[in-house]
C-alpha cells in the first residue's frame, strides 16, 4: 500500500513539475504561459508567423504568395508533445536542447512531412516545408503533373512571453 501511494505521489509530482496543458481557449493558454514561465520549454509561446508559398516544376518557378498568419500558440500537451493550438495537423518534437522537428500530417494521403529546425535565441525559427508528392497526387487528382512541387517557408518570431517577462520572473 505504501508503495502504491509513493508511486502515485511520484507520478503526480512529475506531472506537476513539467508544465503541460490541454487548453480549451487562447485565454487559458496565455494564463498558462504567464503562470508557468520558468517551467516552459523555450519553444512554448505565442508567435507571429510569416509564410512564403510557391510552386515549381522542372522548368519553371511559379510566382509565390506571402501571408501573415494569425498569432500561433505553441504549447506542450499532457503527453509531452508540442502542439500548434487550433491546428491538429502540426506537431513539434524536441530533438535536443534547441533542435526540433516540425511535423505536418496530411490526412488525405496519410503522410507526414518533417522538417528539422533550430530555435535561435529562444525566440526565432524557420521551418521550410514542402507538400509531399503523395499528398499532391491526392489533392490534384487528374491535374497532377509529375515533378510539380509546392513549398512553404514559415518564419516564426516569439512575441509572448516576452524577454522582459522572462527577465522579471528570474
Amino acid at each position: 500500500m505504501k508503495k502504491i501511494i509513493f508511486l502515485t505521489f511520484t507520478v503526480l509530482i512529475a506531472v506537476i513539475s513539467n508544465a503541460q496543458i490541454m487548453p480549451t481557449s487562447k485565454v487559458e493558454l496565455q494564463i498558462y504561459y504567464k503562470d508557468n514561465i520558468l517551467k516552459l520549454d523555450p519553444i512554448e509561446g505565442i508567435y507571429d508567423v510569416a509564410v512564403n508559398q510557391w510552386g515549381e516544376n522542372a522548368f519553371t518557378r511559379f510566382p509565390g504568395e506571402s501571408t501573415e498568419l494569425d498569432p500561433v500558440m505553441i504549447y506542450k500537451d499532457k503527453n509531452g508533445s508540442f502542439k500548434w493550438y487550433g491546428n491538429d495537423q502540426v506537431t513539434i518534437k524536441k530533438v535536443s536542447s534547441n533542435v526540433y522537428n516540425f511535423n505536418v500530417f496530411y490526412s488525405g494521403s496519410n503522410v507526414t512531412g518533417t522538417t528539422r529546425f533550430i530555435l535561435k535565441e529562444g525566440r526565432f525559427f524557420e521551418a521550410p516545408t514542402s507538400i509531399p508528392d503523395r499528398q499532391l497526387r491526392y489533392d490534384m487528382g487528374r491535374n497532377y503533373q509529375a515533378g510539380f512541387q509546392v513549398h512553404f517557408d514559415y518564419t516564426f518570431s516569439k512575441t509572448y512571453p516576452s524577454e522582459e517577462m522572462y527577465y522579471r520572473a528570474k
Side-chain angles (χ1 to χ4, degrees):
M1 182 67 169
K2 287 182 182 181
K3 284 184 180 181
I4 293 173
I5 292 172
F6 176 74
L7 288 174
T8 304
F9 182 73
T10 304
V11 169
L12 183 61
I13 293 299
V15 169
I16 290 171
S17 67
N18 291 323
Q20 298 175 352
I21 188 171
M22 289 301 290
T24 57
S25 71
K26 290 180 179 182
V27 171
E28 182 182 349
L29 260 177
Q30 284 183 307
I31 293 168
Y32 161 77
Y33 296 140
K34 185 177 176 188
D35 291 349
N36 295 285
I37 193 164
L38 296 178
K39 297 176 188 173
L40 295 176
D41 186 272
I43 197 72
E44 291 183 276
I46 302 173
Y47 291 82
D48 285 338
V49 182
V51 182
N52 293 317
Q53 173 188 348
W54 73 96
E56 65 183 347
N57 63 21
F59 308 104
T60 307
R61 179 179 168 136
F62 299 100
E65 179 180 314
S66 296
T67 57
E68 297 284 329
L69 300 181
D70 287 339
V72 169
M73 303 175 102
I74 297 174
Y75 66 95
K76 186 189 295 186
D77 73 5
K78 67 179 182 176
N79 299 320
S81 297
F82 298 102
K83 303 287 186 175
W84 174 329
Y85 181 77
N87 186 340
D88 293 335
Q89 285 183 274
V90 176
T91 57
I92 298 172
K93 303 280 184 189
K94 190 168 193 165
V95 176
S96 65
S97 65
N98 64 339
V99 179
Y100 299 82
N101 284 341
F102 184 83
N103 305 303
V104 181
F105 177 71
Y106 298 91
S107 59
S109 60
N110 199 30
V111 172
T112 300
T114 299
T115 299
R116 185 161 286 182
F117 68 87
I118 296 173
L119 181 64
K120 300 172 188 166
E121 302 172 23
R123 309 203 63 70
F124 308 100
F125 68 94
E126 295 175 345
T129 64
S130 298
I131 298 176
D133 186 66
R134 191 163 145 190
Q135 183 64 32
L136 285 174
R137 289 174 192 266
Y138 176 84
D139 289 340
M140 299 176 78
R142 289 183 173 185
N143 295 322
Y144 174 78
Q145 294 176 358
F148 182 69
Q149 298 176 341
V150 177
H151 306 285
F152 299 90
D153 279 341
Y154 291 93
T155 302
F156 290 75
S157 178
K158 188 189 259 185
T159 59
Y160 189 88
S162 67
E163 289 183 52
E164 185 177 326
M165 291 173 71
Y166 285 108
Y167 180 75
R168 283 192 211 163
K170 291 181 180 181

